[in-house]
Amino acid sequence: MTTTTPPLTRDLQRRQSRMLKLLDSERFLASAMLLPAVIYIVLLVGIPLITAILFSFSDATMASPEIDGLSFNTFGAVLNDPVFRRSLGNSIGFTIISQASMVVLGNILALALMKNFPGKWFVRLLILLPWATPIAIGSIGWLWMYDSVYSPIDWIFRQIGLLGMQGDRVGLISPAPNMYWLGQYGPFSVILVQIWRMLPMSTVILMAGLSSIPQDVKDAAEVDGVGFWRTYFQVTIPLIRPIILVAFLFGVIFTFTDMTIIHVLTRGSSDNSTQVLASYAYYKGIDGGNLSQGAATAIFMLPVLLGLAMILLRIARRSEVR
């Protein structure tokens, strides 16, 4: 006696079989896992970027955000703006100085932290704290450090004679009792905070690079009697050059696009001495209500960052090939 499978059951079995084949397909699984990331990038990066590009070619404002037509007039107005040119110069200058300092200091810290000494884990924790701290909170802390009256830095300088005491003593740096860090020394203060913020990330990346150097290479240099500096410049630096470039690239991107530190500390300063492209785009487009010029200012950062990223990645690839 033979039994026959009901049509409904056969249809269910076929569906289950197709589903199992689909789940076993690597192409389907890869697409399914990438889909959330693609949706995230399109919604949070792609659409705002396209909107900003369209605004930059228009004359849209907060009061009239409609895009009636596209032209290059907004870019012409932005290029003729002296504050924009100063912001562009500040962005480039702050980024180069802070990242050059960061690479040097990061190398020194990474080499020191690779050594064994008591309390190394605690020192590593202290160095990583600035990176783990939200940048807005860290900037508020530095706002107090730079206070024009109650700055603890000024207090220390007064105690060791670098600043003047009221009435009876003239300091070595200044006769005044305070430095006014966010005034005449605004650019220096901003660069110092940028270095403080980015140094932990650079140090961690460089430590990873130093850890990847084979021990037999270090042993060979030691057996040959090569000194520290020669080993560092002829062995260590060439081997971790791609890592240094990666740290530098990340630092440049984070510094060039950051406006939090400027917004909290100086808001660009009254004479725009600390104004950068990111903060000026915000003040122009959001605070000032000129959406088109704000977007055009921000768009100027895009080719600079893309070009820099391509150059650094090309250098890193050449270093890997060698």
Side-chain angles (χ1 to χ4, degrees), residues 89-288:
N90 286 341
S91 294
I92 296 173
F94 291 176
T95 302
I96 292 175
I97 295 173
S98 62
Q99 295 315 302
S101 305
M102 186 200 69
V103 169
V104 175
L105 295 175
N107 268 288
I108 295 172
L109 273 178
L111 287 171
L113 293 177
M114 291 296 291
K115 304 293 183 184
N116 290 320
F117 57 87
K120 184 170 74 173
W121 68 270
F122 184 68
V123 176
R124 286 185 174 184
L125 176 66
L126 289 179
I127 291 174
L128 285 176
L129 272 181
W131 183 248
T133 305
I135 184 59
I137 296 177
S139 300
I140 291 173
W142 278 99
L143 190 63
W144 173 70
M145 296 278 285
Y146 288 147
D147 188 88
S148 59
V149 177
Y150 303 106
S151 168
I153 302 174
D154 288 355
W155 183 85
I156 294 173
F157 280 10
R158 283 196 295 271
Q159 301 308 311
I160 61 178
L162 296 179
L163 293 180
M165 301 288 281
Q166 290 185 351
D168 58 348
R169 196 176 75 188
V170 177
L172 294 176
I173 296 179
S174 170
N178 295 94
M179 288 285 289
Y180 306 108
W181 295 97
L182 299 179
Q184 56 183 330
Y185 303 106
F188 169 78
S189 303
V190 168
I191 291 172
L192 188 62
V193 178
Q194 288 286 5
I195 295 172
W196 168 84
R197 178 200 175 200
M198 298 303 303
L199 188 57
M201 185 195 72
S202 172
T203 303
V204 170
I205 293 176
L206 293 174
M207 284 175 62
L210 292 173
S211 302
S212 66
I213 297 177
Q215 186 59 40
D216 55 348
V217 174
K218 302 176 186 175
D219 294 340
E222 188 174 351
V223 169
D224 290 342
V226 180
F228 171 79
W229 292 110
R230 191 177 170 195
T231 303
Y232 181 70
F233 284 108
Q234 295 187 0
V235 177
T236 305
I237 290 291
L239 289 175
I240 67 170
R241 186 180 301 155
I243 304 296
I244 294 175
L245 288 173
V246 169
F248 184 76
L249 175 61
F250 275 107
V252 166
I253 292 173
F254 279 117
T255 305
F256 200 79
T257 58
D258 178 71
M259 63 159 284
T260 308
I261 293 173
I262 299 293
H263 185 68
V264 173
L265 293 183
T266 65
R267 295 182 67 87
S269 302
S270 57
D271 59 351
N272 296 302
S273 61
T274 59
Q275 196 74 268
V276 294
L277 281 185
S279 60
Y280 188 56
Y282 174 80
Y283 297 138
K284 194 78 174 180
I286 305 301
D287 281 2

Side-chain angles (χ1 to χ4, degrees), residues 59-62 74 281 284-295:
D59 57 354
T61 62
M62 281 287 192
T74 305
K284 194 78 174 180
I286 305 301
D287 281 2
N290 195 331
L291 290 177
S292 58
Q293 291 198 13

Side-chain angles (χ1 to χ4, degrees), residues 286-306:
I286 305 301
D287 281 2
N290 195 331
L291 290 177
S292 58
Q293 291 198 13
T297 303
I299 288 298
F300 269 97
M301 292 189 288
L302 184 62
V304 174
L305 292 174
L306 282 178

